[in-house]
Amino acid sequence: MVDYIPSDWPAGDGEMAERVRRLDWSQTPLGASADWPTSLRVATRLLLNTRHPMFIWWGRELTQIYNDAYRDTMGSERHPAALGQAGAETWAEIWDVIGPQITDVMAGGPATWHEDQLVPVTRHGELQAVWWTYSFSPIDEASAPKGVGGVMVICRDVTAEHLAKEAAVASARRLQEFGEASTDVLWIRDAETLNWTYLTPAFETIYGMPRDEALAGNNYSNWLDLIVPEDRDRARSIIGRVVDGERITFEYRVQRPRDGAIRWLRNTDFPIHDAEGRVVAIGGVGHDATREKQIEETLRTSEAELQLMVGELQHRTRNLIGVVGTIMRQVVASSASLADFRGRFTERLEALSRVQGLFSRKGDETIGMGDVVRLELDALGADLSSDRVRIEGDAVALRKSAVQTLSLALHELATNAVKYGALYADRGSLVVRWNEYSDETGKQRLQLVWTETGIETEIEETLGPMREGGYGRRLIEEALPYTLKAKTTYALGRNRLDCTIDMPLDR
């Protein structure tokens, strides 16, 4: 029985179907298509009616048949001449690669699979490096040697994917090289689990924890545990916003488990998208900003101290002129002669000068607490030998950095006492006491108590520098806590003033 072959065989609308119909196959090793075995006709029909790139080698000469999808990979050098041509003639340049593979299948071997294989071919006038993924499958034919009449090739040009993969690998390698050398910590998190998948060595230096330990288990939770409690919720919230697609730079603090040190981190976190635009990972660059924060804090403190000193210089200059005038009037009123005035006035000016001299001492010299109190009162004309003035305290040494601010406050208190307070009226008295003690942490502190009794409250409340909102009050209640970390109180009662200054002794 002879198989029926339609006149329009093989059916199909493509270019290659038309070429197969028109080619005089009797001039090829395959002979007239009407005489082809059924297996070859079925394979050809299948080949011509699919959009997968497919190719047939048939018979001893490995005569070629291919479809439209395969045609696009051949270049003008082979298409359309390759149709009906022997394989070894068409692919001479790569036959040493594919020839043995085809021969094994034709000899009855199993089908083969070749993934992402480099098979350079000449296309459009130049030799191109082309990567292919392809399979060689036997086409059964009982009358053929070994029962295999030919080989069906299903292939795909994967050059673009291969080059993209190589570029990605190279990019990852460059990233790793950069990350390994960077003093900042670079990392990548899985967008779903939020666990790190990549972490650079700088993590160990900044966080004080080995990388392998940081990457173990639920490392997202472990990372959150390193963050100080005050910053933890904000860090967690920001990571969530990055997963939603935001790019955020933020700062937070961690406590290193190795030494307990607090470090400031400045992180820039960003989403990483796949080809469809979905966030599949988040990346980050963490910079140790601890030193910068320390410098910023030092600059803020220095600026505040500078502003304080400039303001105090202006204020103190005005005060100094006023004090000189007050001293002069007091000495004039109590002097018996010009010579007596000259001697006593000179003594007061010298005492006032000694107070100003505290600020010109060398930075590493200490100043006694008692010296500061006595010099300030003496300079303002207070009679330190009088029963109205009592000064009591331990021999406490102060650094110049503390004296520069503390003496300003004592100057305001002393000025106030002389001009408006206890030493203004004949019946008032002043007691200044201080002592050094250890707090609950074992650190040394100084507590000074300034007490005035017998004052005229109305004058104190309305005229003195220690009135509500006055410079002296602000100096004690605002400047001392800020610059010396002091705790202060100021209470003006009926005919009485109590002020305390409790500050750390930084030696």
Side-chain angles (χ1 to χ4, degrees), residues 116-131:
D116 200 12
Q117 180 163 340
L118 175 62
V119 185
V121 295
T122 300
R123 294 193 296 200
H124 311 297
E126 63 179 358
L127 182 65
Q128 298 179 357
V130 184
W131 282 263

Side-chain angles (χ1 to χ4, degrees), residues 316 320 344-361 367 371-372 374-382 384 403 407 411:
R316 191 155 187 153
L320 189 59
R344 295 175 63 192
F345 186 63
T346 300
E347 289 178 1
R348 296 304 180 200
L349 289 182
E350 289 175 349
L352 190 62
S353 176
R354 286 196 298 273
V355 173
Q356 305 306 309
L358 290 174
F359 298 102
S360 63
R361 292 190 180 185
I367 300 170
D371 293 338
V372 178
R374 290 183 178 87
L375 283 173
E376 289 290 353
L377 288 170
D378 189 49
L380 292 169
L384 302 184
V403 173
S407 64
H411 178 78

